[in-house]
Amino acid sequence: MSVKTEITDGKITAYLSGEIDHHNAGPIRNEIDNALEKNHPEELVLDFSEVSFMDSSGIGLVMGRYKLLKELGGRLIIRNAPPAIKKVMKLAGIDLLATIF
Amino acid sequence: MEIENEIRIVFPAKSCNEAMARMTAAVVASQLDPSAAEIIDIKTAVSEAVTNCIVHAYKDDIGKIEMTCRILKGSIFYIKIKDSGCGIQDIKKAMEPLFTTAPDEERAGLGFAVMESFMDSVRVTGGPGKGTCVVMKKRILPRTYRQAGCERNGSDNANERTEQ
Ligand SMILES: Nc1ncnc2c1ncn2[C@@H]1O[C@H](COP(=O)(O)OP(=O)(O)OP(=O)(O)O)[C@@H](O)[C@H]1O
Ligand SMILES: [Mg+2]
């Protein structure tokens, strides 16, 4: 599991990779939140292209970032989620809160 | 139902064992020659049940989790995940989507909903002071069905398609 953040004007892109479960959701959250607090972006992009597994701990992670961004006045974009990851997100209704590409 | 194979492991409720448990379940299930999608369904459901033992059942200690995987006659994968932790007050309520007793830990309350949607059946027993036992089953479609273009995903019914 790893996360790389890229900051361009008004936008943070977090490239997630590996498996997102309860064991490693914490470090991912800290990394993203550090970047959010420092930069207050208009947009957070979570790129899931390298994510091989995600359970409801990942849902909690995405929902938590959605709420945080709403408070900061930004929006959440979810990008490149593989079919299995999209299936979990749809079950949670994340597609109704965030834009999924 | 006739048991064709059975593997049981006992491990401490540490979060590093979440991946170990779902991988082990996937390895056992692979004896039924499942599709990639079926393997992911099983891994996700197992991850939910094991994580619940770690974050809820043994909130303040590291107890033991027992996981039993079985291959049942008729190409059915069976899995039992059992803890001796605090137990669930009201199982029916706990299984409702979005119900969680840990919202401050960024829990969505969707673990049971994921298990129910990814497996064919989910049965939960136990109670306060008695621990919790989750038994799930999933029928794995024979490869010949899948090759005929009948791969099951989500609620799609394979029988409907073979009749066409
Ligand atoms: N093994 C268990 N022992 C004790 N309580 C449990 C156990 N499994 C589930 N629960 C209770 O049932 C509730 C619902 O579980 P569920 O997995 O659906 O959601 P969650 O774990 O709270 O959130 P999520 O799974 O989305 O991260 C939990 O909040 C907890 O109170
Ligand atoms: Mg859970």
Side-chain angles (χ1 to χ4, degrees), chain A residues 21-84:
Chain A
D21 62 5
H22 159 250
H23 181 65
N24 48 38
I28 300 175
R29 180 181 57 215
N30 292 342
E31 185 89 11
I32 296 173
D33 287 2
N34 278 341
L36 286 180
E37 270 151 37
K38 265 187 235 152
N39 300 282
H40 290 258
E42 281 160 33
E43 198 172 285
L44 170 68
V45 180
L46 296 178
D47 189 299
F48 279 81
S49 48
E50 297 298 320
V51 176
S52 53
F53 175 86
M54 183 177 105
D55 62 17
S56 70
S57 296
I59 300 293
L61 177 80
V62 174
M63 297 285 222
R65 305 299 65 64
Y66 168 77
K67 284 184 197 150
L68 192 60
L69 265 130
K70 225 172 130 191
E71 278 169 28
L72 300 171
R75 65 180 172 274
L76 178 65
I77 310 257
I78 290 167
R79 201 166 69 186
N80 297 333

Side-chain angles (χ1 to χ4, degrees), chain A residues 5-13 15 39-43 45:
Chain A
T5 50
E6 188 183 272
I7 301 162
T8 48
D9 43 346
K11 178 167 144 186
I12 296 178
T13 306
Y15 295 90
N39 300 282
H40 290 258
E42 281 160 33
E43 198 172 285
V45 180

Side-chain angles (χ1 to χ4, degrees), chain B residues 17-164:
Chain B
N17 283 328
E18 290 157 5
M20 182 283 301
R22 62 179 180 260
M23 304 270 208
T24 303
V27 169
V28 177
S30 71
Q31 295 182 347
L32 291 169
D33 196 16
S35 67
E38 285 168 331
I39 282 282
I40 294 177
D41 287 353
I42 289 169
K43 279 173 82 173
T44 312
V46 170
S47 198
E48 296 299 348
V50 170
T51 301
N52 279 351
C53 301
I54 295 166
V55 302
H56 303 299
Y58 301 117
K59 211 184 313 179
D60 308 311
D61 56 341
I62 299 175
K64 289 221 155 66
I65 301 171
E66 183 188 304
M67 182 171 97
T68 309
C69 305
R70 288 180 184 156
I71 305 290
L72 303 181
K73 198 169 180 217
S75 201
I76 290 165
F77 177 72
Y78 162 111
I79 183 146
K80 179 167 87 179
I81 290 152
K82 197 170 174 291
D83 68 66
S84 313
C86 66
I88 301 177
Q89 283 283 346
D90 181 342
I91 291 176
K92 202 165 159 246
K93 197 165 164 198
M95 292 180 80
E96 280 169 15
L98 305 179
F99 177 86
T100 181
T101 48
D104 44 324
E105 291 165 39
E106 292 201 339
R107 309 237 67 92
L110 286 170
F112 282 124
V114 167
M115 291 182 243
E116 289 197 300
S117 107
F118 287 17
M119 300 295 276
D120 293 339
S121 71
V122 181
R123 210 179 43 139
V124 183
T125 50
K130 288 193 225 153
T132 303
C133 179
V134 176
V135 173
M136 300 184 277
K137 288 182 197 159
K138 188 177 183 71
R139 193 167 96 85
I140 304 301
L141 289 179
R143 182 175 285 266
T144 44
Y145 267 56
R146 299 205 305 267
Q147 281 170 344
C150 300
E151 180 152 347
R152 184 169 59 164
N153 55 36
S155 58
D156 283 4
N157 187 330
N159 295 327
E160 260 171 38
R161 292 203 216 162
T162 40
E163 277 159 20
Q164 284 169 7

